[in-house]
Amino acid sequence: MGTVVSARVTHNNGSVRHFLHPVQMAEVSDEERIELEYAYDPLFLPSVVPSTDGMWRYKALLPVSDDIVYPLAVGGTPLVSLPGLYASMGCASLWLKDETRSPSGSNKDRATALVIEQALHTGVRVVSCASTGNVAVSLAIGAASANLRAVIFVPAQVSPAKLQLMLLSGATVFKVAEGYETAVALSRQAARMFGWYDRNTGYNPLTLEAKKTVAFEIWEQLGRKFPDVVVVPVGDGVTLNGIVKGFRELMLCGVSGRLPRIIGIQAEGCQPLKLAWENHTRVQMSPARTIADGIAVGLPINATLTLRDIKETAGSFLAVTDEAIRQAITYLAEQCGILAEPAAATVIAGLHQALKTGLVKKDECIVALLTGTGLKNPDYLQPGSNSRAYEVSAHIDHLQSVMRELHF
Amino acid sequence: MGTVVSARVTHNNGSVRHFLHPVQMAEVSDEERIELEYAYDPLFLPSVVPSTDGMWRYKALLPVSDDIVYPLAVGGTPLVSLPGLYASMGCASLWLKDETRSPSGSNKDRATALVIEQALHTGVRVVSCASTGNVAVSLAIGAASANLRAVIFVPAQVSPAKLQLMLLSGATVFKVAEGYETAVALSRQAARMFGWYDRNTGYNPLTLEAKKTVAFEIWEQLGRKFPDVVVVPVGDGVTLNGIVKGFRELMLCGVSGRLPRIIGIQAEGCQPLKLAWENHTRVQMSPARTIADGIAVGLPINATLTLRDIKETAGSFLAVTDEAIRQAITYLAEQCGILAEPAAATVIAGLHQALKTGLVKKDECIVALLTGTGLKNPDYLQPGSNSRAYEVSAHIDHLQSVMRELHF
């Protein structure tokens, strides 16, 4: 705790007054600026430089050398507890793992970092992938930062806002009319033919390796404890598999505890895994009709591993409507100050459902993984229809009358 | 460094093969997924939980109590060295302090955090400010996270993209036709009349206190050393004053060294401080004709302190054109993988100019402060006119022929 002992007050005309107490705004004129002063002492400075390793702090469990050359800072995202959120949900211990704070605003940046780190060590100059959008933006900026070339295959109906970011970052982008699944197949074939480094999620085992670090961080940030439940959006399933692998590896390293139950959230308009889970059938190709483009995967690449992981963790799948996702986006902005994309907001809609049905208990320790920022596609960050700005003139009387009308 | 010793390979049909070596992608079929395995050991886990204090790690030099209640994670942003950047600039030691990684993507989040922390301890329920856009978004999400009400005054010509974010986060927004300076005066008057907590930059000394923590972080991240030069965008001047206050306080705490030279960057279409500096006159109200809305301040609130700080640090002002700012945005995306807003990109345009004229030497240790993300206003994140995505069909032959045309 710092103790302000004095203040320097500078007038716009350049004259300076010194005060031997910590001046408040109300004590000076609008023409004066306050600079607070302390009884400075070397002891006030931290003695240890903080770690800036991010996800590389787990190097002992990653297939990397000691010299990390990837230049962007990845991992070490905040685990936050928001009063508005846990109060309105009625939960005792509810945490958001905020991956929106990654370099491209998405948890995909972890996988991108590890893949590019590997590519840089093997001397390959081109990295490639297929993506519904977030992996693509992540790879485009990751490759730009490392001076590599990115080749990206996207479904033709990719979000224009995300496409713009890939192109701005200098990626070569191919639009595939037949959709995401075909884009994946084509990109894999092209990577083999042209000798590119293939980042495709699920196929490249490094994507799992990178994504497991989220579990390590959650464990450390909870004070080296496991949560009871983790809520995760599911498209291809790789994020979910990575998290489970992380918790499993912690146990293999001797950490005691029980694997958290994993609740995988799909969109109602694209829920191949939930349907297979409920009906005990093989995964069937599903249409992809949802605003949650980040998880609009009709035939999940890691279906088998995902069904296995839900079973092994005694978890479950839930599906949420686009309307519930939109409400969750507004809720996250208004109650939490977090701007989430549709795929990320599914965890709030899903958690709401899980608490209602008793699938998750209010006294459990719950972590929801917020996978990506809404800022990459502002179309979904729309305020409610009766939300608007009010025009006022410079007169305080006018402002007062507007505020009376607003019952402020 | 982690050593992969074995692998589990799961077929889509559910069958599993174990390998006693780390399998590569090329060794398995497209129907199989690889999970890498290690010789797990408790020693592979970090023994100390990493600090997640962010800017609060400097509590001894901040007017806060030991119990921080503000819920969002602020500060501790990366200081990155990007090979594409320093190579093309020809610099030996060039760092970007990446404030785009803050909660609302702007360095304003530090000031918001400290102001709201204070408001929460005083029991006030409404916080208010005037802003050209970034402070407003920052205060809107900060207040939402802390369950406070935000009242925001913006110039009528505020960016619609930023306005949308304020409204989504539940802020009450007033548009002031007369522009930013009038919005500031009106908001200060209203705060006094209605008893709101006034966050206005410059007037509230906590905005300086919070922003000084960037200097503390730069010093720690450079291994407890001062840089020679810091390049900073300048609108009201508070960010610049905060940084200089931080370095000054480090010296008052016994850190030896010389204050870095501060190069303040203004936009050519709005350069009241640069003109006053060069002509040795008082600051004159300037028009605000620039795409860099974050620093489009015609009459800077902290003009006197800013001129003083530039003088005391033997620094200087530079002005950059909108065209140079646009080029810098593209450059940052393509060479650095960083999506910056116009005001932030001015530091790259300014540094380019400073290196050319010899104001900054290539062998100096240089830090450029990237104040805000471009994602809040994608209008300025436009790829070049001949940058486009290519449509391909699912056939590799088609892709090959497109690539030949591209001379890839």
Side-chain angles (χ1 to χ4, degrees), chain A residues 30 38 48 57 188 209 381, chain B residues 30 38 48 57 188 209:
Chain A
D30 272 14
Y38 302 74
V48 183
R57 91 185 245 100
R188 300 214 61 216
E209 291 308 292
L381 296 178
Chain B
D30 272 11
Y38 302 75
V48 183
R57 89 186 246 100
R188 299 214 62 216
E209 290 309 291

Side-chain angles (χ1 to χ4, degrees), chain A residues 1 30 35-36 38 40 46 48 57 64 73 101 164 175 188 209 224 245 249 308 381 390, chain B residues 1 30 35-36 38 40 46 48 57 64 73 101 164 175 188 209 224 245 249 308 381 390:
Chain A
M1 176 184 153
D30 272 14
E35 291 171 288
L36 303 176
Y38 302 74
Y40 298 101
V48 183
R57 91 185 245 100
V64 289
R101 303 282 291 275
Q164 173 183 334
K175 279 185 179 178
R188 300 214 61 216
E209 291 308 292
R224 299 170 76 94
K245 187 170 200 280
E249 291 191 345
R308 177 201 69 190
L381 296 178
Y390 304 93
Chain B
M1 178 184 152
D30 272 11
E35 291 171 287
L36 303 175
Y38 302 75
Y40 298 99
V48 183
R57 89 186 246 100
V64 290
R101 303 283 290 277
Q164 174 183 334
K175 281 185 177 180
R188 299 214 62 216
E209 290 309 291
R224 298 169 77 93
K245 187 170 198 283
E249 291 191 345
R308 177 201 70 190
L381 295 180
Y390 304 94

Side-chain angles (χ1 to χ4, degrees), chain A residues 114-149:
Chain A
L114 186 56
V115 167
I116 291 186
E117 178 66 24
Q118 186 74 13
L120 288 169
H121 282 278
T122 58
V124 179
R125 303 302 306 162
V126 180
V127 288
S128 60
C129 74
S131 161
T132 57
N134 280 338
V135 167
V137 175
S138 175
L139 188 66
I141 73 146
S145 80
N147 207 11
L148 297 184
R149 193 156 182 179

Side-chain angles (χ1 to χ4, degrees), chain A residues 188-248:
Chain A
R188 300 214 61 216
Q189 208 181 345
R192 277 191 284 252
M193 178 172 281
F194 299 110
W196 302 332
Y197 195 89
D198 187 348
R199 183 222 179 278
N200 271 311
T201 195
Y203 294 104
N204 189 327
L206 296 186
T207 57
L208 268 187
E209 291 308 292
K211 285 177 163 183
K212 76 186 182 188
T213 59
V214 169
F216 298 164
E217 290 180 11
I218 290 170
W219 168 71
E220 283 201 280
Q221 290 171 324
L222 288 176
R224 299 170 76 94
K225 283 194 185 124
F226 285 172
D228 298 308
V229 180
V230 182
V231 189
V232 189
V234 182
D236 274 315
V238 181
T239 295
L240 189 152
N241 305 142
I243 286 187
V244 175
K245 187 170 200 280
F247 286 117
R248 252 193 226 110

Side-chain angles (χ1 to χ4, degrees), chain A residues 33-309:
Chain A
R33 303 291 170 267
I34 304 165
E35 291 171 288
L36 303 176
E37 296 169 334
Y38 302 74
Y40 298 101
D41 189 294
L43 289 173
F44 291 172
L45 300 176
S47 55
V48 183
V49 173
S51 158
T52 52
D53 289 347
M55 65 179 257
W56 309 118
R57 91 185 245 100
Y58 310 106
K59 261 189 297 203
L61 288 168
L62 291 171
V64 289
S65 70
D66 280 336
D67 271 343
I68 301 295
V69 291
Y70 186 69
L72 298 179
V74 183
T77 56
L79 184 75
V80 287
S81 170
L82 293 144
L85 183 65
Y86 62 71
S88 70
M89 290 265 190
C91 294
S93 176
L94 171 55
W95 301 84
L96 297 184
K97 179 65 175 168
D98 187 4
E99 293 281 285
T100 70
R101 303 282 291 275
S102 306
S104 79
S106 148
N107 72 322
K108 317 293 189 189
D109 289 325
R110 294 179 191 261
T112 293
L114 186 56
V115 167
I116 291 186
E117 178 66 24
Q118 186 74 13
L120 288 169
H121 282 278
T122 58
V124 179
R125 303 302 306 162
V126 180
V127 288
S128 60
C129 74
S131 161
T132 57
N134 280 338
V135 167
V137 175
S138 175
L139 188 66
I141 73 146
S145 80
N147 207 11
L148 297 184
R149 193 156 182 179
V151 178
I152 292 164
F153 296 78
V154 293
Q157 71 276 25
V158 64
S159 134
K162 290 181 182 173
L163 177 59
Q164 173 183 334
L165 300 178
M166 301 168 213
L167 294 173
L168 177 68
S169 310
T172 301
V173 182
F174 294 108
K175 279 185 179 178
V176 182
E178 292 87 346
Y180 176 61
E181 285 73 18
T182 308
V184 171
L186 186 62
S187 79
R188 300 214 61 216
Q189 208 181 345
R192 277 191 284 252
M193 178 172 281
F194 299 110
W196 302 332
Y197 195 89
D198 187 348
R199 183 222 179 278
N200 271 311
T201 195
Y203 294 104
N204 189 327
L206 296 186
T207 57
L208 268 187
E209 291 308 292
K211 285 177 163 183
K212 76 186 182 188
T213 59
V214 169
F216 298 164
E217 290 180 11
I218 290 170
W219 168 71
E220 283 201 280
Q221 290 171 324
L222 288 176
R224 299 170 76 94
K225 283 194 185 124
F226 285 172
D228 298 308
V229 180
V230 182
V231 189
V232 189
V234 182
D236 274 315
V238 181
T239 295
L240 189 152
N241 305 142
I243 286 187
V244 175
K245 187 170 200 280
F247 286 117
R248 252 193 226 110
E249 291 191 345
L250 286 170
M251 292 174 72
L252 290 166
C253 286
V255 171
S256 63
R258 197 164 62 164
L259 280 183
R261 305 197 313 282
I262 307 291
I263 313 291
I265 314 294
Q266 297 218 284
E268 212 168 85
C270 185
Q271 47 172 319
L273 288 163
K274 173 165 183 277
L275 293 177
W277 171 257
E278 282 182 351
N279 304 330
H280 306 285
T281 54
R282 289 201 62 178
V283 173
Q284 309 286 325
M285 175 84 179
S286 153
R289 291 193 211 99
T290 171
I291 59 167
D293 58 338
I295 53 169
V297 178
L299 197 60
I301 289 171
N302 273 18
T304 304
L305 298 188
T306 306
L307 290 165
R308 177 201 69 190
D309 285 348

Side-chain angles (χ1 to χ4, degrees), chain A residues 17 56 112 143 147 218 243 306 312 323 366 377-378 380 382:
Chain A
R17 299 195 283 163
W56 309 118
T112 293
N147 207 11
I218 290 170
I243 286 187
T306 306
E312 282 190 22
E323 181 51 30
I366 309 161
N377 191 351
Y380 298 116
Q382 296 296 342

